[in-house]
Structure formats: C-alpha cells, structure tokens
Amino acid sequence: MSKPLIVVTGKNGQLGWEIQQLAEAYSEAFEFLFTGRDDLDLSKPETIAPFFKNHQPDYFINCAAYTAVDKAETEQELAFTTNAESVGLIAQQCALVNAKLITISTDYVFDGNGTSPYTIHTATNPVNYYGHSKWMGEQLALNNCSQSIVIRTSWVYSVHGNNFVKTMLRLMNDRPELKVVADQVGSPTYAADLAEAILKIIVSIERGNAHYGVYQYSNTGVISWCDFAGAIGRIAGRETKVLPIASVDYPTPAKRPSYSVMDTSDLVRDYGIELKGWEESLGKCIKLLG
Ligand SMILES: NC(=O)c1ccc[n+]([C@@H]2O[C@H](COP(=O)([O-])OP(=O)(O)OC[C@H]3O[C@@H](n4cnc5c(N)ncnc54)[C@H](OP(=O)(O)O)[C@@H]3O)[C@@H](O)[C@H]2O)c1
C-alpha cells in the first residue's frame, strides 16, 4: 500500500525548512513533497489547479506566505493573492481530492488590545494589512475545505531564515547597546517545535483522531521584545546592553499589536500536543546557531 503523501509549501521558509529536517524521521509512514516558489507560486493562483492535477496529496501543509509585514501595507494585492486567494483555491482543491489542509496563520489577526490570552472565540480585528490578508486566508480555507486546520502562531524563529533572534545576535556582534521595544508582549515560537506539532497532528489524524478548525500554537510564557532580546544576549553570552524603548519611538509602516498572547490549550486538549517553554526552546536554537 502506498504511503500518504504530504505536500509542504514554503520549503525555503523557516517553518517549511524545519518540517524538512523532520521528514526523515517520519519517512516510514509518509511520503513528502516539499515545494518552493518555483514549483508552486501562490502569487499565481491559476497554477494551483494544474499542480493538483499532477499531485494528489493526502495532507497539504501550507507554510508559504507573503510575510513582509511592513511591505504588505503597499503591496496589498500581492499579499492578498498569496495569503488569501490562493489559500482558498488550495482549500478547494484539497476538498476535491479529499486531502486535509493545514494552513498557518498569525497572532496579527488580533488587534492587540487584549489583556488575557486570545482564544479561538476572541473577535479578530487585524491592525495591519498582512494580518488582514492572513485572516481572509483563514476564512477561505475553512469555507472551502471542511477538513481544514488553521494554526495561528506568533513570533516565529529558527536557525534557518530571517528572524528576530538572528538579527539580535548579529547586531550584538558589534554594538555595545541596543534599544528594543518593551511595550509589545507575546509568546515566541521556535519553528522546530511547531513543525513537530504539525507532524504529530497528522499522525493523530491517521490514527483516527481528527479535529478541524482554528488552533493556536506558540511556546509557553509571555515576554516583551525587549526582554526577549535580553534573554537572547544572556543565553548567547553577549555583553550588549538591551535598553527598553516605546513603540512610538520605533515607528514602522505597519502597526503591531501590543498584546499578542494566544491561548494554545485547544491543541493540548484535542491533539495531546506538548507545549514547550520559550526559554528552553530559545536555548536549543541558540546552541544550534553556535
Ligand atoms: N515569521 C513569523 O514571525 C510569523 C508569525 C506568525 C505567523 N507566521 C506564519 O507562519 C507561516 C510560516 O512563516 P515563516 O516564518 O516560515 O515564513 P518565511 O520564513 O518568511 O517563509 C515564507 C515562505 O513563503 C514563500 N513564499 C512567499 N511568497 C510565495 C509565493 N508567491 N509562492 C510560493 N511561496 C512563497 C517564501 O519563499 P521564498 O523563500 O522564495 O521567498 C518563503 O519560503 C506563514 O504562514 C506566516 O504567515 C509567521
């Protein structure tokens, strides 16, 4: 009997790359097809149906996204096509071939005005266009494929790709002092942990335990960007001083939510996913970065 096929988009992004690192460990049970922009370009929605003519996945993990949060303010059409329209078409195709869709969304669907962790029932209200496009993508996935799982995540970093952890380490190489915003708090996510959670969800579905809809995943714990930068320096043994500043002193084209913490308990309840603390996972990543 042939193994279930898992198609993964965004193979060169942080999350897609981390799933690739785990694929070998799951290769007895699953076949994997990792795709990059050259194989399936989400800015060209017309290429999605032909892709599904050539490949009939059992699971489709969509890690590809337009993730340039500030640029999305001026490239709204491209962000919408990539993060929403194409996700809807992927969902339609998944429904046609009876594939399960796992697509990744963001804490930026919330406005940041909360004071306690957002649940999947908390009203969404994105404050920037990237968040809006991802929210549209969520709706289009859920409306077009009943076997869709949307996983919202936040503050993602990995040894691979561009992220806050690597930027801080680079800046700490030659700066005695760094100023980092202290009035935005959230929960970091090590992409390797999320990759493992996604594959565990698929294993669970294969064993007959399937739940669809919106889920949220991050490492546990709440921290500001400033304190996170401080922890990065401390764990990596850097001397750089990290000083707090307010968001108003670090203006960006896209507004960021100030409180970005999500309730992740549904994944624990439905799929038995074990959540890891942000500090432990940050330590692992920094160790790998050497
Ligand atoms: N990074 C975060 O802090 C964060 C926070 C919350 C949610 N998320 C969500 O988590 C998911 C994974 O994010 P990530 O951090 O792994 O993102 P990432 O590192 O920026 O990777 C995104 C990937 O999407 C690909 N991509 C962009 N446009 C594409 C297109 N038109 N067609 C095909 N592929 C395209 C990129 O390809 P190229 O390599 O060719 O550019 C890249 O490989 C995304 O859904 C993102 O929205 C991320």
Side-chain angles (χ1 to χ4, degrees):
M1 218 174 83
S2 64
K3 300 178 212 171
L5 172 65
I6 303 178
V7 168
V8 184
T9 63
K11 71 173 180 185
N12 300 314
Q14 302 190 78
L15 182 59
W17 184 87
E18 292 286 4
I19 295 175
Q20 281 190 81
Q21 307 314 299
L22 293 175
E24 178 65 33
Y26 287 80
S27 62
E28 275 195 18
F30 300 102
E31 204 146 307
F32 287 86
L33 173 64
F34 289 94
T35 68
R37 207 185 278 264
D38 295 345
D39 313 292
L40 181 59
D41 186 342
L42 301 196
S43 71
K44 298 186 178 126
E46 68 281 5
T47 61
I48 290 167
F51 177 87
F52 275 81
K53 286 229 158 27
N54 293 329
H55 309 283
Q56 279 89 46
D58 297 283
Y59 295 89
F60 193 104
I61 311 176
N62 181 34
C63 304
Y66 181 102
T67 55
V69 176
D70 288 319
K71 263 170 84 181
E73 296 298 308
T74 46
E75 291 190 337
Q76 296 193 351
E77 206 177 317
L78 180 58
F80 176 81
T81 308
T82 311
N83 292 348
E85 184 184 357
S86 287
V87 178
L89 294 172
I90 288 170
Q92 273 177 17
Q93 292 297 321
C94 283
L96 284 175
V97 300
N98 196 31
K100 283 106 185 145
L101 170 63
I102 298 179
T103 190
I104 312 303
S105 190
T106 171
D107 55 321
Y108 282 13
V109 297
F110 297 112
D111 59 19
N113 295 330
T115 49
S116 58
Y118 305 117
T119 74
I120 60 159
H121 305 293
T122 306
T124 54
N125 183 29
V127 294
N128 56 47
Y129 193 79
Y130 164 77
H132 178 70
S133 68
K134 296 292 288 183
W135 179 79
M136 297 286 286
E138 292 187 356
Q139 301 308 302
L140 289 166
L142 297 167
N143 293 341
N144 285 294
C145 175
S146 59
Q147 298 184 115
S148 287
I149 298 176
V150 169
I151 303 179
R152 295 178 182 147
T153 187
S154 56
W155 296 26
V156 179
Y157 65 90
S158 154
V159 292
H160 176 83
N162 299 318
N163 54 65
F164 183 79
V165 173
K166 288 170 75 179
T167 302
M168 288 301 115
L169 289 172
R170 192 181 64 246
L171 294 175
M172 284 173 183
N173 280 339
D174 45 34
R175 295 212 197 157
E177 199 174 280
L178 280 179
K179 289 181 179 153
V180 183
V181 294
D183 54 2
Q184 289 172 27
V185 296
S187 304
T189 301
Y190 183 25
D193 294 339
L194 176 53
E196 201 179 343
I198 290 170
L199 293 176
K200 283 189 173 155
I201 288 171
I202 291 179
V203 168
S204 179
I205 295 174
E206 280 294 293
R207 291 182 180 153
N209 176 47
H211 305 267
Y212 300 105
V214 179
Y215 286 90
Q216 305 187 138
Y217 182 93
S218 66
N219 287 128
T220 57
V222 178
I223 193 164
S224 70
W225 284 117
C226 179
D227 289 342
F228 191 43
I232 293 164
R234 179 171 42 76
I235 293 172
R238 305 295 173 87
E239 306 272 288
T240 306
K241 251 197 212 154
V242 180
L243 305 172
I245 54 165
S247 301
V248 288
D249 297 322
Y250 187 75
T252 49
K255 199 177 167 208
R256 264 69 173 173
S258 47
Y259 180 87
S260 239
V261 184
M262 298 184 294
D263 180 334
T264 51
S265 57
D266 293 344
L267 268 184
V268 180
R269 184 198 61 215
D270 289 351
Y271 281 108
I273 299 298
E274 242 176 74
L275 302 170
K276 294 178 183 150
W278 69 260
E279 201 159 1
E280 178 195 342
S281 291
L282 176 64
K284 275 189 209 153
C285 180
I286 289 179
K287 199 168 169 198
L288 284 172
L289 285 166

